[in-house]
Amino acid sequence: MTSRRSLLQAALAGTALLGDATPVRAQPARRPNILFMLADNLGYGELGVYGGGRTRGAATPRIDRLAAEGLRLTNMNMEAQCTPSRSAILTGRYAIRSGTHSVPFGGVADGLTQWEVTLAESLGAAGYASALFGKWHLGSEEGRFPTNQGFDEWYGIPRTTDEAMWPGMPGWSAAVMPPEQILEGRKGERTRPVRVYDLEQRRLMDAEIARRTVAFMEAQAHAGKPFFAYATLTQPHLPTLPHPEFAGRTGNGDWADMLAEMDANVGRMLDAVDRLGLRENTIVLFASDNGPEFVKPWDGWAGPWRGQYFTAWEGGIRVPCIVRWPERVPAGRVSDAIVHAVDLFPTLAKLAGASVPGDRPIDGVDQSPLLLGQAEASAREGILVFCAERLQAVKWRNYKVHFYRQDTMVSPAVKLGIPLLFNLYQNPREDEDKPSLDSWVVGPVLKLVAAFEASLKAHPLIPMGTPDPYKPPR
């Protein structure tokens, strides 16, 4: 039987075709560390540097300073839900290809098949130590935890934070529906439960994520090994409850207290990078996995954009994203070039001297010239916007075409007889009484769709719930 390691080596052999971009090849160089901090349901308009901060009840000085020290992207796009975005980040593939197009609700094998090659696996093959601390949401059974997908260690929750509310709900019984556990694991060992994830632990989780991330970076710095520290914060996902040390600190309620706590936790991790003497050789990323929370009273704010997560509106997919790498990424720069979650794998692989799989479609493109200030334009012109299994919209340059209308996460998705076309420069709110008449845009949009559909003939979609072992059809 072919081992997973040999399959990984075969997948990473050679180069991967990335649209019109240059193929990514491993480059011998001093390997940078990577600290990637991913917030959960943080809207575009929440941080001070994106128009929020004090207007949301709490200043965010550490994250704002991070933006001043690096590149702030204003057209960073994720997928519309938590699971798809996390899948896209780690695989460089639209989540619909991987059977991870929707948040799982149990009853099937959830998460990534072991056939998928993750960023952690690619970096591991290039000599990196990697760890994930926080929310996973890409598999909740042995065989599909982070340590089964390339990470050396992990601590956190397998699914989502609203499950912390279960133990206090009327009628709930652990015998009927077991509570979500906080889990911990190391590569080569079985993941083990640590404690029940309840409302008390919900308040403590992000501080523990920051603490463990700092400890991991310290250990790798002392070992002289490059690292990939993936701190997947649980805030501000509902229920948005701050750590006890921050409760009441702003005087503006739990949401503002949470924002102050998030900023402080980011600061703790950044301070550790500086204290360890790693600042110059560490790529720091801060982003959100999708648009803001919809459920009241924890709903968030997408700033100038319409909508929240689970929708194809700009507010559902356009997120804050900051990149810092001193002396490599020019400081104080702002770019509106279009970037997508799938671009992060090939981009970070290029910067780290790692490889991307060459045996499957990779939807991401190498955006390192954009990040390094060597190019002003994106390496892509457009993106596909999926909501669950539907191709709901397409962005091309400054235009957006919607094939379905869906106002909120609980609204039905209605297929449109005539697609809605918006010029996002002229109509950033995507107001339907101001559609664009530039119907010529449909041509390049449909070319993007056709290219994706053509790729499915040789590489069919992996159905959601597909068990391991998965082997692609010949």
Side-chain angles (χ1 to χ4, degrees):
M1 179 180 294
T2 304
S3 69
R4 174 161 169 76
R5 182 175 182 83
S6 62
L7 287 172
L8 173 62
Q9 291 171 337
L12 293 175
T15 62
L17 185 62
L18 305 178
D20 295 328
T22 303
V24 176
R25 295 182 181 274
Q27 300 293 325
R30 184 186 174 199
R31 303 190 188 279
N33 305 304
I34 301 169
L35 169 60
F36 190 165
M37 297 170 284
L38 184 70
D40 194 1
N41 301 350
L42 181 74
Y44 185 97
E46 314 287 19
L47 304 173
V49 74
Y50 283 91
R54 293 187 186 279
T55 66
R56 295 291 282 139
T60 54
R62 297 307 306 269
I63 301 175
D64 295 351
R65 187 193 313 169
L66 178 67
E69 295 168 342
L71 168 66
R72 176 163 59 93
L73 295 174
T74 57
N75 199 354
M76 178 67 192
N77 300 268
M78 293 287 181
E79 301 225 27
Q81 304 178 32
C82 299
T83 292
S85 283
R86 291 157 199 272
S87 175
I89 289 168
L90 287 179
T91 67
R93 289 153 51 85
Y94 287 123
I96 195 168
R97 292 194 189 273
S98 306
T100 50
H101 59 65
S102 300
V103 170
F105 288 100
V108 297
D110 62 310
L112 292 169
T113 66
Q114 292 187 8
W115 176 82
E116 293 289 343
V117 175
T118 69
L119 174 60
E121 289 176 299
S122 176
L123 292 173
Y128 277 72
S130 60
L132 183 148
F133 302 113
K135 174 176 170 176
W136 172 234
H137 223 178
L138 290 175
S140 53
E141 298 292 338
E142 194 66 48
R144 293 200 171 179
F145 290 131
T147 43
N148 307 123
Q149 299 286 2
F151 289 94
D152 296 306
E153 59 180 283
W154 88 287
Y155 172 94
I157 55 174
R159 294 183 301 277
T160 185
T161 292
D162 51 280
E163 294 184 28
M165 302 168 69
W166 289 357
M169 287 183 166
W172 173 83
S173 167
V176 175
M177 190 65 180
E180 185 171 23
Q181 298 279 341
I182 299 174
L183 302 176
E184 184 174 27
R186 290 183 175 274
K187 184 178 291 186
E189 303 175 3
R190 290 183 66 85
T191 286
R192 65 181 184 86
V194 177
R195 59 180 63 87
V196 170
Y197 188 49
D198 55 17
L199 291 181
E200 178 185 7
Q201 293 301 318
R202 192 277 168 279
R203 290 182 180 271
L204 303 177
M205 177 55 77
D206 279 25
E208 182 65 8
I209 291 169
R211 186 191 73 78
R212 286 178 179 256
T213 301
V214 168
F216 173 75
M217 293 191 294
E218 290 173 342
Q220 304 316 314
H222 294 152
K225 189 168 186 176
F227 61 76
F228 171 37
Y230 195 22
T232 54
L233 303 171
T234 63
Q235 300 284 19
H237 193 291
L238 75 87
T240 312
L241 302 173
H243 190 281
E245 292 183 3
F246 285 84
R249 179 171 294 193
T250 67
N252 296 318
D254 283 346
W255 210 99
D257 293 343
M258 174 283 303
L259 191 59
E261 180 198 351
M262 175 186 288
D263 191 69
N265 284 328
V266 169
R268 289 171 60 192
M269 291 182 275
L270 293 175
D271 287 345
V273 170
D274 288 353
R275 174 169 50 81
L276 294 168
L278 303 175
R279 181 186 181 96
E280 302 305 314
N281 197 43
T282 298
I283 302 170
V284 175
L285 297 95
F286 179 92
S288 176
D289 64 344
N290 44 241
E293 189 66 65
F294 167 75
V295 180
K296 299 180 185 301
W298 304 291
D299 52 317
W301 186 46
W305 315 112
R306 175 182 179 178
Q308 295 99 357
Y309 63 7
F310 283 76
T311 74
W313 302 119
E314 285 298 284
I317 60 173
R318 196 184 291 221
V319 300
C321 183
I322 299 165
V323 184
R324 186 188 77 182
W325 190 9
E327 299 183 7
R328 298 295 303 278
V329 173
R333 188 160 159 254
V334 180
S335 173
D336 197 54
I338 188 169
V339 182
H340 192 276
V342 294
D343 298 338
L344 294 175
F345 185 164
T347 302
L348 291 173
K350 179 65 175 290
L351 296 174
S355 300
V356 298
D359 65 341
R360 64 202 67 193
I362 298 295
D363 299 298
V365 297
D366 172 24
Q367 298 280 14
S368 59
L370 174 67
L371 302 191
L372 299 176
Q374 299 165 355
E376 291 298 322
S378 172
R380 64 164 66 249
E381 285 195 308
I383 62 170
L384 307 182
V385 183
F386 292 94
C387 290
E389 72 280 10
R390 299 179 305 278
L391 176 59
Q392 199 135 319
V394 175
K395 287 179 68 170
W396 182 79
R397 295 185 181 175
N398 55 295
Y399 291 93
K400 181 97 161 279
V401 175
H402 288 260
F403 303 112
Y404 290 80
R405 170 173 179 156
Q406 183 188 13
D407 287 338
T408 72
M409 67 181 293
V410 296
S411 302
V414 179
K415 188 170 179 58
L416 297 167
I418 300 176
L420 277 171
L421 171 61
F422 301 116
N423 183 328
L424 294 173
Y425 288 163
Q426 298 174 2
N427 184 7
R429 293 285 302 174
E430 299 172 271
D431 294 325
E432 290 151 78
D433 61 347
K434 296 189 294 182
S436 172
L437 299 179
D438 297 328
S439 58
W440 60 270
V441 172
V442 174
V445 162
L446 292 182
K447 284 185 179 179
L448 291 177
V449 176
F452 176 80
E453 291 179 343
S455 74
L456 302 183
K457 295 178 181 178
H459 302 274
L461 302 178
I462 300 175
M464 193 167 179
T466 296
D468 288 314
Y470 169 77
K471 291 182 65 175
R474 290 192 170 186

